[in-house]
Amino acid sequence: MAEIHALKDWALDKKVSNNKRFAVVKIVLQYPEEDLYIDLKPKERIKAINKSFRDNCKKLIALDLFESFEISDHKKRPQAVIAKLKYSRLKDIAALNYIAGIWIQSIDFAEPLGKEKVLVDRYFCVKMTVVVEEEGVLSKKQQIEKRFVLIKAKSSEDAYEQLEKREHEYTRSYLNPYGRFVRWRIDSYEDCYETDIESPADLDNPAGVEVYSKLSTRKNTDRKAWDGKF
């Protein structure tokens, strides 16, 4: 069963039967299973995937449930349909195995509910540079540490603010064996990465959890292209 998005964001007029109520929705078709196209070449895959979308789009329209409709994407690969249909038939569409999701755009005899945007705490990984400083010692080269800190916050800005407020905890000094004070001072914040971690339990994933990622490029020393085989 595909999800019907924003269904709870509308207050329906109970005096009107759902059989008489219409809704305008965006229906997104399911992307076909990739395993079906492993043995095909890239150009053949494109044609096969396009055909799969066209066939499913035709099946959807052939159900004759729409008061009106328009295909919202390219005709060669129709991935979504904007349609007006009876509100009571939404679940029938959602039950189709080739539907990825339904997004409600409007409902007759209904008022949209005002929703305040609530910021939910998530886990962010902040990349920072920490400088190691020793009392009375001036070196030509500073010892630094690239540190990644996982912190629960509402946004990247909130993550930075929380760390900045606690900088004194990082710079607390201690005595080394030579009687000099040493401190680890945050010199700069370089990046803040929003992770997919939603709770501490996610950290128990046997496959591991991604806490930081940054795309870059490098010289291709293999000098060959991947053949698509696993």
Side-chain angles (χ1 to χ4, degrees):
M1 177 76 74
E3 184 176 353
I4 304 174
H5 299 269
L7 190 61
K8 296 181 180 180
D9 295 347
W10 296 81
L12 305 183
D13 184 346
K14 295 181 180 179
K15 296 177 182 178
V16 179
S17 169
N18 285 339
N19 287 323
K20 296 181 180 180
R21 192 191 315 275
F22 284 83
V24 176
V25 299
K26 181 176 183 178
I27 304 168
V28 178
L29 300 174
Q30 186 72 48
Y31 201 91
E33 293 290 335
E34 295 178 359
D35 292 347
L36 299 174
Y37 308 103
I38 289 177
D39 296 330
L40 299 178
K41 294 181 179 180
K43 288 185 178 180
E44 294 173 335
R45 287 177 193 150
I46 292 173
K47 290 180 180 179
I49 291 171
N50 289 349
K51 184 178 184 301
S52 175
F53 275 113
R54 289 196 302 270
D55 290 345
N56 287 336
C57 186
K58 288 178 182 178
K59 283 195 293 183
L60 179 62
I61 294 169
L63 295 173
D64 199 25
L65 296 177
F66 303 147
E67 182 81 2
S68 60
F69 71 90
E70 64 175 301
I71 298 172
S72 65
D73 290 308
H74 200 280
K75 290 184 178 180
K76 284 187 177 180
R77 183 180 289 195
Q79 294 181 265
V81 175
I82 307 294
K84 182 179 180 180
L85 72 161
K86 284 187 177 181
Y87 179 86
S88 58
R89 304 308 297 267
L90 287 175
K91 290 185 178 179
D92 295 335
I93 299 294
L96 300 172
N97 62 6
Y98 52 87
I99 301 301
I102 300 172
W103 279 260
I104 294 178
Q105 298 185 346
S106 66
I107 302 176
D108 290 345
F109 306 105
E111 293 291 333
L113 296 173
K115 292 182 66 178
E116 294 183 4
K117 187 176 181 181
V118 179
L119 292 176
V120 180
D121 283 343
R122 295 186 61 81
Y123 287 88
F124 293 82
C125 182
V126 177
K127 179 185 177 184
M128 63 179 73
T129 296
V130 177
V131 178
V132 183
E133 297 177 325
E134 187 175 352
E135 177 192 10
V137 176
L138 180 62
S139 304
K140 289 184 178 180
K141 291 186 177 180
Q142 286 184 314
Q143 186 177 5
I144 63 171
E145 176 193 57
K146 291 295 182 182
R147 183 176 294 179
F148 296 82
V149 175
L150 197 63
I151 186 169
K152 195 173 184 180
K154 290 180 172 58
S155 63
S156 297
E157 293 76 13
D158 183 37
Y160 284 133
E161 287 177 8
Q162 287 192 52
L163 289 171
E164 287 170 355
K165 288 178 182 177
R166 292 171 174 78
E167 282 188 1
H168 65 282
E169 297 178 17
Y170 286 88
T171 56
R172 189 172 297 163
S173 59
Y174 63 89
L175 278 171
N176 67 10
Y178 306 104
R180 296 181 183 275
F181 283 107
V182 177
R183 70 176 182 179
W184 295 60
R185 175 178 58 81
I186 297 175
D187 183 70
S188 62
Y189 299 99
E190 281 101 41
D191 200 3
C192 187
Y193 176 75
E194 183 176 353
T195 74
D196 290 328
I197 302 171
E198 295 183 354
S199 71
D202 292 340
L203 298 172
D204 296 329
N205 188 337
V209 181
E210 182 179 284
V211 295
Y212 185 80
S213 174
K214 187 173 184 179
L215 290 173
S216 61
T217 59
R218 69 177 187 182
K219 187 175 182 181
N220 187 354
T221 55
D222 291 339
R223 296 184 180 278
K224 60 182 180 181
W226 176 45
D227 60 6
K229 299 293 189 296
F230 292 94

